[in-house]
Amino acid sequence: MSDIFAILGNVFVVLGALVFATAALGVIRFPDAFTRVSAVGTAGGLGIALVLGGAFLVQPTVPDLVKVVLAIAMQLTTSAVGSIAIARAAYLSRSPRRRLGYDELTPDEDATDGSGERT
């Protein structure tokens, strides 16, 4: 049974590392600060949960379970607050935003018959 936990733990650690690598790729590829913050904030919580959960499965003890649960709870809380603070700072400093190429909420003038009704 211990071997199954060790294998599952290693799989979770690798999956967590892949989530972090994906977030790093998002930081490089995304066009503005707001999408970058979104990528890192979202992936941080999931990546930490997978890595710590995997580490716990490799060596499961009750004290380690308490540490893992506390660390994941603190990470999820601080990651959300930190992401919001960084996004707010970017907004207040007037960080440039990328314009949408297509906005489905804006009415298309060509598709209306002049009365505002779509044809």
Side-chain angles (χ1 to χ4, degrees), residues 16 24-25 40 44 50 118:
L25 183 64
V40 171
L50 286 171
R118 288 207 174 257

Side-chain angles (χ1 to χ4, degrees), residues 59-109:
Q59 187 175 2
T61 62
V62 174
D64 289 337
L65 176 65
V66 172
K67 292 174 191 174
V68 165
V69 168
L70 286 173
I72 290 174
M74 291 181 70
Q75 168 62 27
L76 291 176
T77 304
T78 58
S79 176
V81 172
S83 295
I84 291 169
I86 293 171
R88 184 174 187 273
Y91 179 78
L92 291 175
S93 67
R94 300 182 193 273
S95 177
R97 289 180 276 181
R98 182 173 179 229
R99 294 278 184 210
L100 294 174
Y102 173 73
D103 187 0
E104 62 190 32
L105 298 176
T106 303
D108 187 13
E109 296 299 325

Side-chain angles (χ1 to χ4, degrees), residues 7 15 46 48 67 90 101 114 119:
I7 292 170
L15 285 175
L46 180 62
I48 284 289
K67 292 174 191 174
T119 58

